Amino acid sequence: QVQLVESGGGLVQTGGSLRLSCAASGRTFSNYAMGWFRQAPGKERECVAAISWSGENTYYADSVKGRFTISRDNAKNTVYLQMNSLKPEDTAVYRCATALHVATITTGRSDYWGQGTQVTVSS
């Protein structure tokens, strides 16, 4: 059974940084693309970043370009989201997801999802 477990969320001030981690188990991690989504209360779920199995291809939402960086360590079965220059509008529950292709992730059709980690940015 595939499991995705996020960690690294918390409370940070505007302009601060956080690094989220998502540890995967249950299938060959390096065969699959990974992504990060977020959802704030009353707002639609948004794919903020995705990365191909090799790490060569990445996707970023316009709202986070230049501030967030997605990366992966296939030896550790872990994907990361480095978030810099955080803003109050980044406050949300962040979840990781996996699918075969980046395009599948960005359209919200991932086959497995984590439970999420809360990120709160204070003004």
Side-chain angles (χ1 to χ4, degrees):
Q1 183 177 357
V2 176
Q3 286 191 317
L4 303 175
V5 180
E6 302 94 339
S7 62
L11 175 64
V12 64
Q13 291 185 335
T14 296
S17 298
L18 283 174
R19 189 176 81 154
L20 305 183
S21 299
C22 172
S25 61
R27 67 183 184 189
T28 305
F29 177 79
S30 58
N31 288 350
Y32 294 87
M34 298 293 297
W36 286 96
F37 286 77
R38 68 185 180 187
Q39 188 165 21
K43 294 188 177 181
E44 291 190 356
R45 184 179 63 194
E46 175 187 25
C47 179
V48 296
I51 187 167
S52 62
W53 67 270
S54 66
E56 289 185 359
N57 296 320
T58 57
Y59 162 87
Y60 293 97
D62 288 342
S63 58
V64 306
K65 279 182 182 176
R67 301 189 298 122
F68 290 11
T69 303
I70 189 170
S71 62
R72 64 189 297 159
D73 185 338
N74 287 342
K76 295 183 178 179
N77 291 353
T78 302
V79 63
Y80 305 97
L81 185 68
Q82 178 67 44
M83 305 186 294
N84 298 330
S85 302
L86 283 162
K87 306 174 182 179
E89 50 263 46
D90 294 319
T91 295
V93 174
Y94 285 72
R95 302 173 69 188
C96 65
T98 181
L100 198 56
H101 302 295
V102 168
T104 306
I105 291 177
T106 60
T107 54
R109 293 178 289 125
S110 297
D111 44 3
Y112 294 99
W113 298 79
Q115 291 298 308
T117 185
Q118 177 70 46
V119 171
T120 303
V121 185
S122 62
S123 56

